[in-house]
Amino acid sequence: MFIVTKRLFLRPPWAEDAAAVEAAIGHWDVVSMLASAPWPYARADAEAFCATPVETGSALLLIFTRDGRAPELVGGIGFAPRQGGGAPDLGYWITPAHQGKGYAAEAGRGALALAFDGFRHREVTARHQLDNPRSANVLRRLGFEPTGGQSTAFCRGRGAEVETAEYRLTREAWRCEPARLAA
């Protein structure tokens, strides 16, 4: 599956992406905000990420720029059910050099179109660590609403439980959300 937005190209990771993934995700500022990435992040971790199998109805995509120059890896995005099932959970990361450019929201609109229009999910959930307000801003720009719920989640890179805020977005709200049309 491939997704093209105004400035980005999203596609599944390939084995030959491992070096670029290692360089892009291997920053404490990224790893410390993700659930499953270890610290330090090594080539073997990137190779395992690129070989991750994806369940039906889920997506794991790398985010590349598409601006007329050679594509540059700027992040990753995907959705899959949390352990125990239920609605798919959206997750994403952007390498530090490309944060603040709107890439997470633009890629998010593309991934949500796949979730709602492609896979016909009724709802997508998301959460962010409480010490990551930039991620909360991305979720709100995508139309997610806070549920009011908070939980703890293990952050492998930090080696500790972290507090998270929970969000949800329904297909109906997505269809009414004008922000998705700005992609």
Side-chain angles (χ1 to χ4, degrees), residues 39 62 123 150 182:
W39 184 256
L62 294 178
E123 177 179 282
Q150 291 189 358

Side-chain angles (χ1 to χ4, degrees), residues 6 12 21 89 99 105 141 148:
K6 183 176 180 180
V21 168
D89 199 48
Q99 291 176 2
R141 284 177 52 198

